Amino acid sequence: MEFTRPRGTKDFLFDEMRRRKEAESLLRNVFENYGYQEIQTPLFEELKLFTTKSGEEIVDQLYNFKDKSDRELALRPEITAPVARLYLNELEKTASKPIKLYYYGSCFRYERPQKGRFRQFWQFGCELIGAKSPEGEAEVIAMCNASIKKLGITTADININHLGIIRGLFAHFGIDVATQRELMIVIDKGDKDLLKESLIGENPIIDNAELNEILLELIDLVGDKSILPQIEALVKGYEEAEEAFAEFKELIETLDSSKVSNYTLNLGVARGLDYYTGIVFEVYVPELGAQKQICGGGTYGLVKVFGGQEVTSTGFAFGFDRLMNAMEELTEQKELESNINVFIAPISDDVRFKAFEIAQTLRENDIATDIDLTRRKFKKLMNYANNKKVKNVAIIGAKDLEDGKITIKNMESGEQSLVNLDEIVSYLKGE
Ligand code: HAM
C-alpha cells in the first residue's frame, strides 16, 4: 500500500522549516513594532460564517463537512471573518479602539493546485478595528510595505484602489447586488478582453451603455498619482463616487507622508472576497508569474453584516507560502549553519555514562548538544558529525577523563584543544 500526500498540500523539511520560522519571526517583529498583538482562532468554524456575506457560491471553494451532531462546519478559507466573529464574541463591548491584532495560521481552499496555489496554505495577516480612515488605512499599508522590505522582497508593487468609486457608480445607476457581484468577478480575473466583452460585447452584464463606457475607461486606469485627474473627470457628477475619490486622494497624500513610495493606483483591483467597501490593495511580485499576488487586503464592513455595531476595519493577509517563494527568487539563500554546537563522541564503551553526564550539563547550560545514540565506531561518528556540519566534536576518551579533560575538535579549522571538564561550558560559549 502506498500513501501519498493529499493533493494541494505540502511537507516541509528541516531547512525549509527553519527559513519559514525566520521569516515568521521577522514579520512578528514588524507587526509588534506597529503595536499589533497576536490572536488565534479555530481552524474550523460554522459554515454560515463564510457564506453569510459571500453567498452559497463560495461553498465550492470550501472544505465543509457535517460533524457527528450534524453541525455544518467548514475549515477556514481565510481569517478575516473569524476575526470579526471573535471581535463580536470577545472584544466589542470591552476593548478600547482601535484594536490592532495579527494572526498566523493555515487556511484551506478547494482550489486547482499549481505552483504557489495550495489547498492548505498559510496566511500572516492583521486587522485594524475601529480606526479612522485614511490614517488607519495608510498605517496598515505602511506596515505591509515595511514587512516586504524587511524580507528583502525588493520588486513588490502595492496596487491600490477604492471600491467606493465603482460602488458609488453602481448605486447611482441602480445596479442590483447580484449583477454587481457578477461584474466584480470578471474584473477580479484581470482579463482585459473578457472585461471588454462583458461591458460592450453582444450581451453585456450591465444593461446601461453610459455606465459601461465609464467603467471601461475607469477600470483600465493604472499608474502613478498623475492619473488622479483622469479618475476625477470620470466620476464627476456622481456624488457617491466623488466622495470615494476624495477619500482615495487623501489616502494617497497620507501614504506619501508615511514615506511609502512603491505603490501603483490600479482601478482594476476588485478583490475576490465580497466584504470590501473602501480602499483595497494587492501586492504583486512579477517574478512569481501567475501566482504573483503575495498579499491582499482593504477596508470592509463585516461586523455590521454579522449583527454588530458598524465599525470601520482595515486589514490584509500575506500568502506566507508565496512570500517564501518570492524570497527564494529575490534574496540570496545562504547555506544554513548547523544548530548543533557540539556533538559528543565517546571513543569506547566504558566512557558512555560520563559522556551522557557531560551532554546533560551542556544542555542545562543552553548549549545545543547532540550525542552518539548508535554506538558506532569512532571513525563513523566523525563522518556523521561532518555530514551534520556540527561546529565542534567533543571526543571523550578514558585517558583524557582520568586527567579531568576532554578533547574538543573545531570541525571548521580542524584544530583540537584539550579542555578541563569544568571549563567546557565557557569554552564552547567562546567566553
Ligand atoms: P486573499 O487575497 O483571498 O485575502 O488572500 C490573501 C493572500 O493569501 C493572497 O494574496 C495570496 O497571497 C494568498 N493565497 C490565497 N489563496 C491561496 C492559495 N490557494 N494558495 C496559496 N496562497 C494563497 C484574504 O484572505 C483576506 N482575508 C485578506 C484580508 C485581511 N482582508 C482584510 N483583512
Side-chain angles (χ1 to χ4, degrees):
M1 198 193 318
E2 197 189 336
F3 295 108
T4 51
R5 258 187 296 114
R7 207 166 127 71
T9 63
K10 263 195 85 171
D11 293 317
F12 300 98
L13 280 177
F14 313 117
D15 280 4
E16 189 168 12
M17 229 24 237
R18 282 178 66 189
R19 290 189 209 280
R20 286 172 74 93
K21 287 277 160 205
E22 219 167 280
E24 184 190 327
S25 136
L26 287 176
L27 289 176
R28 278 180 204 288
N29 229 317
V30 175
F31 281 41
E32 286 174 19
N33 276 344
Y34 275 79
Y36 283 73
Q37 297 189 80
E38 187 171 10
I39 53 108
Q40 202 167 49
T41 66
L43 280 184
F44 58 88
E45 297 272 358
E46 286 183 294
L47 173 65
K48 66 175 191 278
L49 184 73
F50 303 111
T51 52
T52 295
K53 176 68 192 162
S54 303
E56 293 297 323
E57 308 93 85
I58 200 182
V59 174
D60 286 350
Q61 291 164 30
L62 290 176
Y63 276 91
N64 58 314
F65 54 96
K66 278 193 179 154
D67 73 2
K68 294 190 168 65
S69 301
D70 256 4
R71 295 183 190 91
E72 291 264 23
L73 301 170
L75 297 182
R76 61 183 186 194
E78 57 103 42
I79 309 183
T80 304
V83 166
R85 178 202 49 72
L86 167 143
Y87 166 80
L88 279 168
N89 293 162
E90 313 285 344
L91 298 171
E92 188 183 29
K93 301 220 163 54
T94 52
S96 46
K97 294 190 196 68
I99 302 166
K100 293 177 157 185
L101 51 86
Y102 80 91
Y103 47 80
Y104 173 59
S106 45
C107 299
F108 303 83
R109 294 186 190 179
Y110 198 80
E111 300 199 88
R112 201 157 46 82
Q114 48 188 284
K115 190 173 163 44
R117 170 177 252 138
F118 304 101
R119 290 183 171 175
Q120 179 183 11
F121 62 98
W122 274 257
Q123 283 195 347
F124 200 112
C126 66
E127 310 297 338
L128 170 64
I129 305 172
K132 283 261 175 285
S133 61
E135 293 90 318
E137 288 158 335
E139 195 193 67
V140 164
I141 296 177
M143 180 166 90
C144 173
N145 187 43
S147 307
I148 297 163
K149 286 216 165 115
K150 193 81 179 192
L151 297 177
I153 304 174
T154 45
T155 59
D157 182 19
I158 307 174
N159 283 251
I160 312 175
N161 187 12
H162 192 312
L163 287 187
I165 298 177
I166 195 166
R167 291 206 197 281
L169 292 170
F170 287 152
H172 179 91
F173 288 94
I175 307 302
D176 65 79
V177 173
T179 311
Q180 291 187 25
R181 185 180 286 161
E182 201 182 331
L183 187 70
M184 294 305 271
I185 291 171
V186 174
I187 301 174
D188 189 48
K189 286 194 176 129
D191 179 339
K192 296 281 176 213
D193 291 334
L194 178 68
L195 182 67
K196 215 168 168 180
E197 181 61 30
S198 310
L199 287 172
I200 53 167
E202 268 182 32
N203 289 309
I205 294 176
I206 297 173
D207 184 20
N208 185 312
E210 183 187 347
L211 175 60
N212 286 343
E213 282 301 327
I214 300 173
L215 290 177
L216 197 62
E217 264 192 68
L218 190 71
I219 295 162
D220 217 26
L221 287 175
V222 180
D224 60 18
K225 274 183 299 185
S226 64
I227 67 168
L228 283 170
Q230 283 166 271
I231 309 171
E232 190 170 18
L234 280 171
V235 300
K236 205 167 170 51
Y238 306 108
E239 202 178 320
E240 278 183 50
E242 277 182 329
E243 278 166 25
F245 172 74
E247 279 178 22
F248 193 29
K249 216 167 135 191
E250 210 183 328
L251 170 82
I252 300 303
E253 282 157 9
T254 318
L255 269 188
D256 288 345
S257 65
S258 313
K259 302 199 180 78
V260 178
S261 56
N262 52 321
Y263 64 81
T264 301
L265 311 189
N266 182 342
L267 279 285
V269 172
R271 307 284 298 126
L273 297 154
D274 262 353
Y275 45 61
Y276 298 101
T277 50
I279 295 292
V280 286
F281 61 99
E282 292 182 345
V283 183
Y284 306 138
V285 173
E287 288 80 0
L288 295 185
Q291 307 308 321
K292 65 178 181 179
Q293 193 199 123
I294 58 164
C295 177
T299 293
Y300 56 90
L302 257 186
V303 169
K304 189 152 180 240
V305 177
F306 290 170
Q309 291 283 324
E310 174 143 23
V311 57
T312 308
S313 308
T314 304
F316 67 81
F318 284 117
F320 190 79
D321 311 272
R322 293 188 190 169
L323 282 183
M324 296 311 295
N325 289 348
M327 285 170 74
E328 201 179 322
E329 287 287 329
L330 297 165
T331 63
E332 193 196 337
Q333 299 274 291
K334 284 189 231 104
E335 202 180 320
L336 296 174
E337 278 190 11
S338 164
N339 48 0
I340 294 296
N341 183 328
V342 60
F343 177 73
I344 301 206
I347 294 186
S348 50
D349 277 347
D350 52 339
V351 296
R352 208 166 289 285
F353 291 131
K354 188 66 189 172
F356 267 89
E357 194 185 307
I358 294 170
Q360 204 47 32
T361 307
L362 295 179
R363 287 167 176 162
E364 280 165 9
N365 282 280
D366 282 336
I367 293 173
T369 304
D370 214 348
I371 185 169
D372 169 45
L373 300 173
T374 58
R375 300 199 181 184
R376 269 189 286 225
K377 293 271 179 292
F378 182 65
K379 195 158 173 272
K380 289 209 163 141
L381 289 184
M382 290 309 275
N383 283 341
Y384 172 81
N386 221 353
N387 289 340
K388 285 266 172 184
K389 299 196 174 69
V390 298
K391 295 175 191 117
N392 301 289
V393 175
I395 302 163
I396 318 286
K399 205 163 156 303
D400 284 351
L401 280 183
E402 272 172 30
D403 301 335
K405 293 178 193 299
I406 61 167
T407 297
I408 295 186
K409 180 172 181 179
N410 179 314
M411 297 298 279
E412 206 178 304
S413 63
E415 213 174 279
Q416 299 209 24
S417 314
L418 211 51
V419 180
N420 281 332
L421 277 179
D422 55 3
E423 286 170 3
I424 318 175
V425 169
S426 53
Y427 179 88
L428 287 170
K429 284 190 168 173
E431 287 163 356

